Amino acid sequence: MPSIHYRAVPIAERRTVTLDDLVLVYHRASGITHLLASPAPEILAALDEGALDLAGLLDRLGRRFDLDAGASGALAARLDELIAAGLVATA
């Protein structure tokens, strides 16, 4: 069975504004503005570079951030939240 790949909604379909430690993301297709805290904006930025499976995304984020042993489960949970918000899709 092939692994699930995650991709961010294209940059052209969202408008992002940073406010201190929070990021507002306006999703043009739905008309909804999402208020995101770390690590959600960092996950979106990593997926903006291209679709990845969970292991690839963990590797990409691990090159930029110090991740602990439980990062895989936490990342999967954040991806599920971003999918529910409509900001990430699976392929």
Coordinates of all heavy atoms in Angstrom, one line a residue:
M1 N 0.8 -1.2 0.0 CA 0.0 0.0 0.0 C 0.9 1.2 0.0 O 1.8 1.4 0.8 CB -0.9 0.0 1.2 CG -1.8 1.1 1.3 SD -3.1 0.8 2.5 CE -2.7 2.1 3.7
P2 N 0.6 2.2 -0.9 CA 1.5 3.4 -1.0 C 1.2 4.3 0.2 O 0.2 4.3 0.8 CB 1.0 4.1 -2.3 CG -0.3 3.5 -2.6 CD -0.4 2.1 -2.0
S3 N 2.3 5.0 0.6 CA 2.1 5.9 1.8 C 1.3 7.2 1.4 O 1.3 7.5 0.2 CB 3.5 6.3 2.3 OG 4.2 7.0 1.3
I4 N 0.7 7.7 2.4 CA 0.0 9.0 2.2 C 0.9 10.1 2.0 O 1.9 10.3 2.8 CB -1.0 9.2 3.4 CG1 -2.0 8.1 3.5 CG2 -1.7 10.6 3.2 CD1 -2.8 8.1 4.7
H5 N 0.7 11.0 1.0 CA 1.5 12.2 0.8 C 0.6 13.4 1.2 O -0.6 13.4 0.9 CB 2.0 12.3 -0.6 CG 3.2 11.5 -0.9 ND1 3.1 10.1 -0.9 CD2 4.5 11.8 -1.0 CE1 4.3 9.6 -1.1 NE2 5.2 10.6 -1.2
Y6 N 1.2 14.4 1.8 CA 0.5 15.6 2.2 C 0.9 16.7 1.4 O 2.1 16.8 1.0 CB 0.8 15.9 3.7 CG 0.4 14.7 4.6 CD1 1.3 13.7 4.9 CD2 -0.9 14.7 5.1 CE1 0.9 12.7 5.8 CE2 -1.3 13.6 6.0 CZ -0.4 12.6 6.3 OH -0.8 11.6 7.1
R7 N 0.0 17.6 1.0 CA 0.3 18.8 0.3 C -0.5 20.0 0.9 O -1.6 19.8 1.3 CB 0.1 18.7 -1.2 CG -1.4 18.4 -1.6 CD -1.6 18.4 -3.1 NE -3.0 18.1 -3.4 CZ -4.0 18.9 -3.3 NH1 -3.8 20.2 -2.9 NH2 -5.2 18.6 -3.5
A8 N 0.1 21.1 0.9 CA -0.5 22.3 1.3 C -1.4 22.9 0.2 O -1.1 22.7 -1.0 CB 0.5 23.4 1.7
V9 N -2.5 23.6 0.6 CA -3.3 24.3 -0.4 C -2.3 25.3 -1.0 O -1.5 25.9 -0.4 CB -4.4 25.1 0.4 CG1 -5.1 26.0 -0.5 CG2 -5.4 24.1 1.0
P10 N -2.4 25.4 -2.4 CA -1.5 26.3 -3.0 C -1.4 27.7 -2.4 O -2.4 28.3 -2.0 CB -2.0 26.4 -4.5 CG -2.8 25.1 -4.6 CD -3.3 24.8 -3.3
I11 N -0.2 28.3 -2.4 CA 0.0 29.6 -1.9 C -1.0 30.6 -2.5 O -1.5 31.5 -1.8 CB 1.4 30.1 -2.1 CG1 2.4 29.2 -1.2 CG2 1.6 31.5 -1.7 CD1 3.8 29.4 -1.5
A12 N -1.3 30.5 -3.8 CA -2.2 31.5 -4.5 C -3.6 31.4 -3.9 O -4.3 32.4 -4.1 CB -2.2 31.2 -6.0
E13 N -3.9 30.3 -3.2 CA -5.3 30.2 -2.7 C -5.4 30.6 -1.2 O -6.4 30.5 -0.6 CB -5.8 28.7 -2.8 CG -6.0 28.3 -4.2 CD -6.5 26.9 -4.3 OE1 -7.1 26.4 -3.3 OE2 -6.2 26.2 -5.3
R14 N -4.3 31.2 -0.7 CA -4.4 31.6 0.7 C -3.5 32.9 0.9 O -2.6 33.2 0.2 CB -3.9 30.6 1.7 CG -2.6 30.0 1.4 CD -2.3 28.8 2.4 NE -0.9 28.8 2.7 CZ 0.0 27.9 2.1 NH1 -0.5 27.1 1.2 NH2 1.2 27.9 2.4
R15 N -4.0 33.7 1.8 CA -3.3 34.9 2.2 C -2.8 34.8 3.6 O -3.6 34.4 4.5 CB -4.2 36.1 2.1 CG -3.8 37.4 2.6 CD -2.9 38.1 1.5 NE -2.8 39.5 2.0 CZ -1.6 40.0 2.5 NH1 -0.6 39.2 2.6 NH2 -1.5 41.3 2.8
T16 N -1.6 35.1 3.9 CA -1.0 34.8 5.2 C -0.5 36.2 5.8 O 0.2 36.9 5.2 CB 0.2 33.8 5.2 OG1 -0.3 32.6 4.6 CG2 0.7 33.5 6.5
V17 N -0.8 36.4 7.1 CA -0.4 37.6 7.8 C 0.1 37.1 9.2 O -0.6 36.4 9.9 CB -1.5 38.6 8.0 CG1 -1.0 39.8 8.8 CG2 -2.1 39.1 6.7
T18 N 1.3 37.5 9.5 CA 1.9 37.2 10.8 C 1.6 38.3 11.8 O 1.9 39.4 11.6 CB 3.4 36.9 10.7 OG1 3.7 35.9 9.7 CG2 4.1 36.5 12.0
L19 N 1.1 37.8 13.0 CA 0.9 38.8 14.1 C 1.6 38.2 15.3 O 1.1 37.3 16.0 CB -0.6 38.9 14.4 CG -1.5 39.4 13.2 CD1 -3.0 39.2 13.6 CD2 -1.2 40.8 13.0
D20 N 2.7 38.8 15.7 CA 3.5 38.3 16.8 C 3.8 36.8 16.6 O 4.4 36.4 15.7 CB 2.9 38.6 18.1 CG 2.8 40.1 18.4 OD1 3.7 40.8 18.0 OD2 1.8 40.6 18.9
D21 N 3.3 36.0 17.6 CA 3.5 34.5 17.5 C 2.4 33.8 16.8 O 2.5 32.5 16.7 CB 3.6 34.0 19.0 CG 4.9 34.5 19.7 OD1 5.8 34.8 19.0 OD2 4.9 34.5 20.9
L22 N 1.4 34.4 16.3 CA 0.3 33.8 15.6 C 0.4 34.1 14.1 O 0.9 35.2 13.7 CB -1.0 34.2 16.2 CG -1.2 33.9 17.7 CD1 -2.5 34.6 18.2 CD2 -1.2 32.4 17.9
V23 N -0.3 33.3 13.3 CA -0.3 33.5 11.9 C -1.8 33.4 11.5 O -2.5 32.4 11.8 CB 0.5 32.5 11.1 CG1 0.3 32.7 9.6 CG2 2.0 32.6 11.5
L24 N -2.3 34.4 10.8 CA -3.6 34.4 10.2 C -3.5 33.9 8.8 O -2.7 34.4 8.0 CB -4.3 35.8 10.2 CG -4.5 36.4 11.5 CD1 -4.9 37.9 11.3 CD2 -5.6 35.7 12.2
V25 N -4.3 32.9 8.4 CA -4.3 32.3 7.1 C -5.7 32.5 6.5 O -6.7 31.8 7.0 CB -3.8 30.9 7.0 CG1 -3.9 30.3 5.6 CG2 -2.4 30.8 7.6
Y26 N -5.9 33.3 5.5 CA -7.2 33.4 4.8 C -7.2 32.4 3.7 O -6.4 32.5 2.8 CB -7.4 34.8 4.4 CG -8.7 35.0 3.5 CD1 -9.9 34.9 4.1 CD2 -8.6 35.2 2.2 CE1 -11.1 35.0 3.4 CE2 -9.8 35.3 1.4 CZ -11.0 35.2 2.0 OH -12.2 35.3 1.3
H27 N -8.1 31.5 3.7 CA -8.3 30.5 2.7 C -9.3 31.0 1.7 O -10.5 31.0 2.0 CB -8.7 29.2 3.3 CG -8.8 28.1 2.3 ND1 -9.8 27.1 2.4 CD2 -8.0 27.7 1.3 CE1 -9.6 26.3 1.4 NE2 -8.6 26.6 0.7
R28 N -8.9 31.4 0.5 CA -9.8 32.1 -0.4 C -10.9 31.2 -0.9 O -12.1 31.6 -1.0 CB -9.0 32.5 -1.7 CG -8.1 33.7 -1.4 CD -7.4 34.2 -2.7 NE -6.8 35.5 -2.5 CZ -5.5 35.6 -2.2 NH1 -4.7 34.6 -2.0 NH2 -5.0 36.9 -2.0
A29 N -10.7 29.9 -1.1 CA -11.7 29.0 -1.6 C -12.9 28.8 -0.6 O -14.0 28.8 -1.0 CB -11.1 27.6 -1.8
S30 N -12.6 28.8 0.7 CA -13.7 28.6 1.7 C -14.1 30.0 2.3 O -15.2 30.0 2.9 CB -13.2 27.7 2.9 OG -12.2 28.4 3.6
G31 N -13.3 31.0 2.2 CA -13.6 32.3 2.8 C -13.4 32.3 4.3 O -13.9 33.2 5.0
I32 N -12.7 31.3 4.8 CA -12.5 31.2 6.2 C -11.0 31.7 6.5 O -10.1 31.4 5.8 CB -12.6 29.8 6.7 CG1 -14.1 29.3 6.5 CG2 -12.2 29.6 8.2 CD1 -14.3 27.9 6.8
T33 N -10.9 32.5 7.6 CA -9.6 32.9 8.2 C -9.3 32.0 9.3 O -10.1 31.9 10.3 CB -9.6 34.4 8.6 OG1 -10.0 35.2 7.4 CG2 -8.3 34.8 9.1
H34 N -8.2 31.4 9.3 CA -7.7 30.5 10.3 C -6.6 31.2 11.2 O -5.8 31.9 10.6 CB -7.1 29.2 9.7 CG -8.1 28.5 8.9 ND1 -9.0 27.6 9.3 CD2 -8.3 28.5 7.5 CE1 -9.7 27.1 8.3 NE2 -9.3 27.7 7.2
L35 N -6.6 31.0 12.5 CA -5.6 31.5 13.4 C -4.7 30.4 13.8 O -5.2 29.4 14.4 CB -6.3 32.1 14.6 CG -5.4 32.8 15.6 CD1 -4.6 33.9 15.1 CD2 -6.2 33.2 16.8
L36 N -3.5 30.4 13.4 CA -2.6 29.3 13.6 C -1.4 29.7 14.5 O -0.9 30.8 14.5 CB -1.9 28.8 12.3 CG -2.9 28.4 11.1 CD1 -2.1 28.0 9.9 CD2 -3.8 27.3 11.6
A37 N -1.0 28.7 15.4 CA 0.1 28.9 16.2 C 1.1 27.8 15.8 O 0.8 26.8 15.1 CB -0.3 28.7 17.7
S38 N 2.4 28.0 16.2 CA 3.4 27.0 15.9 C 3.0 25.7 16.4 O 2.4 25.6 17.5 CB 4.7 27.5 16.5 OG 5.8 26.7 16.2
P39 N 3.2 24.6 15.7 CA 4.0 24.4 14.5 C 3.2 24.4 13.2 O 3.8 24.1 12.2 CB 4.6 23.0 14.7 CG 3.5 22.3 15.4 CD 2.8 23.3 16.3
A40 N 1.9 24.8 13.2 CA 1.1 24.7 12.0 C 1.7 25.6 10.9 O 1.8 25.1 9.7 CB -0.3 25.1 12.3
P41 N 2.1 26.8 11.1 CA 2.6 27.6 10.0 C 3.9 27.0 9.4 O 4.2 27.0 8.2 CB 2.9 29.0 10.6 CG 2.1 29.0 11.8 CD 1.9 27.6 12.3
E42 N 4.7 26.4 10.3 CA 6.0 25.8 9.9 C 5.7 24.6 9.0 O 6.4 24.3 8.0 CB 6.9 25.5 11.1 CG 7.4 26.6 11.8 CD 6.4 27.3 12.8 OE1 5.3 26.8 13.0 OE2 6.8 28.2 13.5
I43 N 4.7 23.8 9.4 CA 4.3 22.7 8.6 C 3.8 23.1 7.2 O 4.2 22.5 6.2 CB 3.2 21.8 9.3 CG1 3.8 21.2 10.6 CG2 2.6 20.8 8.4 CD1 2.7 20.6 11.5
L44 N 3.0 24.1 7.1 CA 2.5 24.6 5.8 C 3.7 25.1 5.0 O 3.8 24.8 3.8 CB 1.5 25.8 6.0 CG 0.1 25.4 6.5 CD1 -0.7 26.7 6.7 CD2 -0.5 24.5 5.4
A45 N 4.6 25.8 5.6 CA 5.8 26.3 4.9 C 6.6 25.1 4.3 O 7.1 25.2 3.2 CB 6.7 27.2 5.8
A46 N 6.8 24.1 5.1 CA 7.5 22.9 4.6 C 6.8 22.2 3.5 O 7.4 21.8 2.5 CB 7.7 21.9 5.8
L47 N 5.5 22.2 3.5 CA 4.7 21.5 2.5 C 4.6 22.4 1.2 O 4.4 21.9 0.1 CB 3.3 21.2 3.0 CG 3.3 20.0 3.9 CD1 1.9 19.8 4.5 CD2 3.8 18.7 3.3
D48 N 4.9 23.7 1.4 CA 4.9 24.6 0.2 C 6.0 24.3 -0.7 O 6.0 24.6 -1.9 CB 5.0 26.1 0.7 CG 3.8 26.7 1.2 OD1 2.7 26.1 0.9 OD2 3.8 27.7 1.9
E49 N 7.0 23.6 -0.2 CA 8.2 23.1 -1.0 C 7.9 21.9 -1.8 O 8.7 21.5 -2.7 CB 9.4 22.9 -0.1 CG 9.9 24.1 0.6 CD 11.0 23.8 1.6 OE1 11.7 22.9 1.4 OE2 11.1 24.6 2.6
G50 N 6.7 21.2 -1.5 CA 6.3 20.1 -2.3 C 5.7 19.0 -1.4 O 5.9 19.0 -0.2
A51 N 4.9 18.2 -2.0 CA 4.2 17.1 -1.2 C 5.1 16.1 -0.7 O 6.2 15.8 -1.3 CB 3.1 16.5 -2.1
L52 N 4.8 15.6 0.5 CA 5.7 14.7 1.2 C 4.9 13.7 2.0 O 3.7 14.0 2.4 CB 6.6 15.4 2.2 CG 7.7 16.2 1.6 CD1 8.3 17.1 2.8 CD2 8.8 15.4 1.0
D53 N 5.4 12.5 2.2 CA 4.8 11.6 3.2 C 5.2 12.0 4.6 O 6.0 12.9 4.7 CB 5.1 10.1 2.9 CG 6.6 9.8 3.0 OD1 7.4 10.7 3.4 OD2 7.0 8.7 2.7
L54 N 4.7 11.3 5.6 CA 5.0 11.7 7.0 C 6.5 11.7 7.3 O 7.0 12.6 7.9 CB 4.2 10.8 8.0 CG 4.3 11.2 9.4 CD1 3.8 12.6 9.7 CD2 3.6 10.2 10.3
A55 N 7.2 10.6 6.9 CA 8.6 10.5 7.1 C 9.4 11.6 6.4 O 10.3 12.2 7.0 CB 9.1 9.1 6.7
G56 N 9.0 11.9 5.2 CA 9.7 13.0 4.5 C 9.5 14.3 5.1 O 10.4 15.2 5.2
L57 N 8.3 14.6 5.5 CA 8.0 15.9 6.2 C 8.7 16.0 7.5 O 9.3 17.0 7.9 CB 6.5 16.0 6.4 CG 6.0 17.3 7.0 CD1 6.5 18.5 6.2 CD2 4.5 17.3 7.1
L58 N 8.8 14.9 8.3 CA 9.5 14.8 9.5 C 11.0 15.1 9.3 O 11.6 15.9 10.0 CB 9.3 13.5 10.2 CG 9.6 13.4 11.7 CD1 8.7 14.3 12.5 CD2 9.5 11.9 12.1
D59 N 11.5 14.6 8.2 CA 12.9 14.8 7.9 C 13.2 16.3 7.5 O 14.1 16.9 7.9 CB 13.4 13.9 6.7 CG 14.8 14.1 6.3 OD1 15.7 13.9 7.2 OD2 15.0 14.5 5.1
R60 N 12.3 16.8 6.7 CA 12.4 18.2 6.2 C 12.3 19.2 7.4 O 13.1 20.1 7.5 CB 11.3 18.6 5.2 CG 11.5 20.0 4.6 CD 10.5 20.2 3.5 NE 10.9 19.6 2.3 CZ 10.1 19.4 1.3 NH1 8.9 19.9 1.3 NH2 10.5 18.8 0.2
L61 N 11.4 18.9 8.3 CA 11.2 19.8 9.5 C 12.4 19.6 10.5 O 12.9 20.5 11.1 CB 9.9 19.5 10.2 CG 8.7 20.0 9.5 CD1 7.4 19.4 10.1 CD2 8.6 21.5 9.4
G62 N 12.9 18.3 10.5 CA 14.0 18.0 11.4 C 15.3 18.7 11.0 O 16.2 19.0 11.8
R63 N 15.5 19.1 9.7 CA 16.6 19.8 9.3 C 16.6 21.3 9.8 O 17.6 21.9 9.8 CB 16.8 19.8 7.8 CG 17.3 18.4 7.3 CD 17.5 18.4 5.8 NE 16.5 17.5 5.2 CZ 15.8 17.8 4.1 NH1 16.0 18.9 3.5 NH2 14.9 16.9 3.7
R64 N 15.4 21.8 10.1 CA 15.2 23.2 10.5 C 15.0 23.3 12.0 O 15.3 24.4 12.6 CB 14.1 23.8 9.8 CG 14.2 23.9 8.3 CD 13.1 24.5 7.7 NE 13.1 24.3 6.3 CZ 12.1 24.2 5.5 NH1 10.9 24.4 6.0 NH2 12.2 24.0 4.2
F65 N 14.4 22.3 12.6 CA 14.0 22.4 14.0 C 14.6 21.2 14.8 O 14.7 20.1 14.3 CB 12.5 22.5 14.2 CG 11.9 23.6 13.4 CD1 11.3 23.3 12.2 CD2 11.9 24.9 13.8 CE1 10.7 24.3 11.4 CE2 11.4 25.9 13.1 CZ 10.8 25.6 11.9
D66 N 14.7 21.4 16.1 CA 15.2 20.3 17.0 C 13.9 19.5 17.4 O 13.1 20.0 18.2 CB 15.9 20.9 18.2 CG 16.4 19.8 19.1 OD1 16.7 18.7 18.7 OD2 16.6 20.1 20.3
L67 N 13.7 18.3 16.8 CA 12.5 17.5 17.1 C 12.9 16.4 18.1 O 13.9 15.8 18.0 CB 12.0 16.9 15.8 CG 11.6 18.0 14.7 CD1 11.2 17.2 13.5 CD2 10.6 18.9 15.2
D68 N 11.9 16.1 18.9 CA 12.1 15.0 19.9 C 11.6 13.7 19.4 O 11.0 13.6 18.3 CB 11.6 15.3 21.3 CG 10.0 15.5 21.3 OD1 9.4 15.0 20.3 OD2 9.5 16.1 22.2
A69 N 11.7 12.6 20.1 CA 11.4 11.3 19.7 C 9.9 11.2 19.4 O 9.4 10.4 18.6 CB 11.8 10.3 20.7
G70 N 9.0 12.0 20.1 CA 7.6 11.9 19.9 C 7.1 12.7 18.8 O 5.9 12.9 18.6
A71 N 8.0 13.3 18.0 CA 7.6 14.2 16.9 C 6.7 13.6 15.9 O 5.8 14.3 15.3 CB 8.8 14.8 16.3
S72 N 6.8 12.3 15.5 CA 6.0 11.7 14.5 C 4.5 11.7 14.9 O 3.7 12.1 14.0 CB 6.5 10.3 14.3 OG 5.8 9.7 13.3
G73 N 4.2 11.3 16.1 CA 2.8 11.3 16.5 C 2.2 12.7 16.6 O 1.1 12.9 16.1
A74 N 3.0 13.6 17.1 CA 2.5 15.0 17.2 C 2.3 15.6 15.8 O 1.4 16.3 15.6 CB 3.5 15.9 18.0
L75 N 3.3 15.3 14.9 CA 3.1 15.8 13.5 C 1.9 15.3 12.8 O 1.2 16.0 12.2 CB 4.4 15.5 12.7 CG 4.4 16.0 11.2 CD1 4.2 17.5 11.1 CD2 5.7 15.6 10.6
A76 N 1.6 14.0 13.0 CA 0.5 13.4 12.4 C -0.8 14.0 13.0 O -1.8 14.3 12.2 CB 0.4 11.9 12.7
A77 N -0.8 14.3 14.2 CA -2.0 15.0 14.8 C -2.2 16.4 14.3 O -3.3 16.8 13.9 CB -1.9 15.1 16.3
R78 N -1.1 17.2 14.1 CA -1.2 18.5 13.5 C -1.6 18.4 12.1 O -2.4 19.3 11.6 CB 0.1 19.3 13.6 CG 0.7 19.6 15.0 CD -0.1 20.4 15.9 NE -1.3 19.7 16.5 CZ -1.2 18.8 17.5 NH1 -0.1 18.5 18.1 NH2 -2.3 18.3 18.0
L79 N -1.2 17.4 11.3 CA -1.6 17.3 9.9 C -3.1 17.0 9.9 O -3.8 17.5 9.0 CB -0.8 16.2 9.3 CG 0.6 16.5 8.9 CD1 1.4 15.3 8.5 CD2 0.7 17.5 7.7
D80 N -3.6 16.2 10.8 CA -5.0 15.9 10.8 C -5.8 17.2 11.0 O -6.9 17.4 10.4 CB -5.4 14.9 11.9 CG -4.9 13.4 11.5 OD1 -4.6 13.2 10.3 OD2 -4.8 12.6 12.4
E81 N -5.3 18.0 11.9 CA -6.0 19.3 12.2 C -6.0 20.2 11.0 O -7.0 20.9 10.6 CB -5.3 20.0 13.4 CG -5.5 19.3 14.7 CD -4.6 19.9 15.8 OE1 -3.8 20.8 15.5 OE2 -4.7 19.4 16.9
L82 N -4.8 20.3 10.3 CA -4.7 21.1 9.1 C -5.6 20.5 7.9 O -6.1 21.3 7.1 CB -3.3 21.2 8.6 CG -2.4 22.1 9.6 CD1 -0.9 21.9 9.2 CD2 -2.8 23.5 9.5
I83 N -5.7 19.2 7.8 CA -6.6 18.6 6.9 C -8.1 19.0 7.2 O -8.8 19.4 6.3 CB -6.5 17.1 6.8 CG1 -5.1 16.7 6.2 CG2 -7.6 16.4 6.0 CD1 -4.7 15.3 6.4
A84 N -8.5 18.9 8.5 CA -9.8 19.3 8.9 C -10.1 20.7 8.6 O -11.3 21.1 8.3 CB -10.0 18.9 10.4
A85 N -9.1 21.6 8.7 CA -9.3 23.0 8.4 C -9.3 23.3 6.9 O -9.6 24.4 6.5 CB -8.2 23.8 9.1
G86 N -8.9 22.3 6.1 CA -8.9 22.6 4.6 C -7.6 23.2 4.1 O -7.6 23.6 3.0
L87 N -6.6 23.3 4.9 CA -5.4 23.9 4.5 C -4.3 22.9 4.0 O -3.3 23.3 3.4 CB -4.7 24.7 5.7 CG -5.6 25.8 6.2 CD1 -5.0 26.5 7.4 CD2 -5.8 26.9 5.1
V88 N -4.5 21.6 4.3 CA -3.7 20.5 3.8 C -4.6 19.4 3.2 O -5.7 19.2 3.7 CB -2.8 19.9 4.9 CG1 -2.1 18.7 4.5 CG2 -1.8 21.0 5.4
A89 N -4.1 18.8 2.1 CA -4.8 17.7 1.5 C -3.9 16.5 1.4 O -2.7 16.6 1.5 CB -5.4 18.1 0.1
T90 N -4.5 15.3 1.2 CA -3.7 14.1 1.0 C -3.7 13.7 -0.4 O -4.7 14.0 -1.2 CB -4.2 13.0 1.9 OG1 -5.6 12.7 1.6 CG2 -4.0 13.3 3.4
A91 N -2.7 13.0 -0.9 CA -2.6 12.6 -2.2 C -2.2 11.1 -2.2 O -1.6 10.6 -1.3 CB -1.6 13.4 -3.0

